[in-house]
Amino acid sequence: MTLTGHVVVAGGASGIGEATVDALVDEGLCVTVLDANREAVARAEERWSGEDVLVLACDVTEEDEVAEALDQAVDAFGPVTGLVNSAGIACDVPAEKTTVETFRQIVDVNLTGAFILCRAALDHMGDRLSIVNLGSVSGMRANAGRVAYGASKAGVTLMSQVLANEWGGHGVRVNVVAPGPVDSPLIARLHSPEDRKVWTSRVPLRRYGRAADVANAILFLLSDEASYINGHVLTVDGGFLAAGIIRDG
């Protein structure tokens, strides 16, 4: 793949974001990592010490913090050519037990935070920009327990398609990667052993994905090989969305 420039990865200190940063570093890119978890930020600074990686603590829901972080990023590595919105939170709670506070918090981080970063990246881009927002199969199917998370990720998909429409003429591509069940810290907190059995039984490949599987899809959409792909949703789900009746064995 042909990848050059400076990529900002929000939520880049763990999980899918971390795997994406690893892959970008392997490709020789300059990377700015944004993450709200200060412990994870400290680990990330140590992990990528000596690489062209700038790690910053940043709350993606705060416009001023995001703008200041991207100012620092541009000072360090030049205009932003890629953005990966991987910062996210989730819960697995029935709708009637989901509080309004929880609903608002999840939408604020997953959807509003992504929008804030997309706008900020537009202000800090050079002559081109590729944005990859993390959606989810739970934003495309009504999975039980995901009323807030699913709504936020469905919003990410439509938001991304509107931005692809409005910004395409300005040298900006906006796409979505929608993972299915992936072994990550987020899923480890949500899925019990019984949950894993249920999800695995619905996935034709009969396994959870790896963070690197999702990172590979993200890198493709960032790359020059995807230069005519805009407003697309790429599922990385082992066939979950496509599956109908799955036979045992």
Side-chain angles (χ1 to χ4, degrees):
M1 287 185 289
T2 307
L3 285 156
T4 58
H6 169 205
V7 179
V8 175
V9 181
S14 66
I16 291 169
E18 181 181 38
T20 301
V21 176
D22 279 338
L24 290 167
V25 169
D26 287 345
E27 292 288 334
L29 274 76
C30 299
V31 183
T32 296
V33 175
L34 308 181
D35 207 288
N37 185 322
R38 293 186 179 274
E39 291 181 1
V41 165
R43 291 193 299 270
E45 288 176 329
E46 182 176 353
R47 178 185 183 89
W48 292 302
S49 176
E51 305 285 356
D52 288 329
V53 177
L54 174 65
V55 183
L56 300 171
C58 180
D59 180 348
V60 298
T61 68
E62 296 293 336
E63 288 182 83
D64 291 342
E65 282 191 35
V66 170
E68 182 179 348
L70 290 201
D71 284 344
Q72 293 181 56
V74 170
D75 287 344
F77 299 131
V80 177
T81 60
L83 169 66
V84 178
N85 271 312
S86 184
I89 57 175
C91 67
D92 185 358
V93 182
E96 69 275 13
K97 295 183 179 179
T98 300
T99 67
V100 172
E101 180 183 10
T102 295
F103 194 99
R104 284 178 173 154
Q105 182 184 26
I106 290 174
V107 170
D108 199 27
V109 173
N110 296 357
L111 178 55
T112 308
F115 175 66
I116 290 170
L117 269 160
C118 287
R119 288 234 336 224
L122 186 72
D123 291 337
H124 290 80
M125 68 177 280
D127 60 354
R128 62 187 172 90
L129 174 64
S130 176
I131 297 173
V132 180
N133 293 321
L134 266 291
S136 171
V137 294
S138 289
M140 305 169 76
R141 290 289 186 273
N143 293 321
R146 303 295 196 275
V147 65
Y149 183 74
S152 73
K153 292 301 187 178
V156 165
T157 293
L158 190 58
M159 175 194 74
S160 300
Q161 291 171 334
V162 172
L163 298 183
N165 180 9
E166 293 187 358
W167 295 352
H170 302 286
V172 181
R173 296 186 298 109
V174 187
N175 292 290
V176 176
V177 168
V182 173
D183 278 318
S184 68
L186 179 67
I187 294 301
R189 291 191 296 271
L190 288 179
H191 287 193
S192 68
E194 186 58 35
D195 292 330
R196 291 183 68 92
K197 289 179 183 178
V198 172
W199 275 95
T200 302
S201 72
R202 303 294 197 276
V203 175
L205 288 185
R206 300 295 193 181
R207 66 172 177 86
Y208 274 42
R210 298 176 291 267
D213 296 327
V214 184
N216 289 336
I218 292 170
L219 261 64
F220 168 68
L221 290 175
L222 290 173
S223 74
D224 290 348
E225 282 77 3
S227 64
Y228 201 56
I229 299 175
N230 191 33
H232 181 68
V233 181
L234 175 57
T235 57
V236 184
D237 65 353
F240 171 79
L241 285 182
I245 296 171
I246 299 178
R247 297 188 184 280
D248 292 334

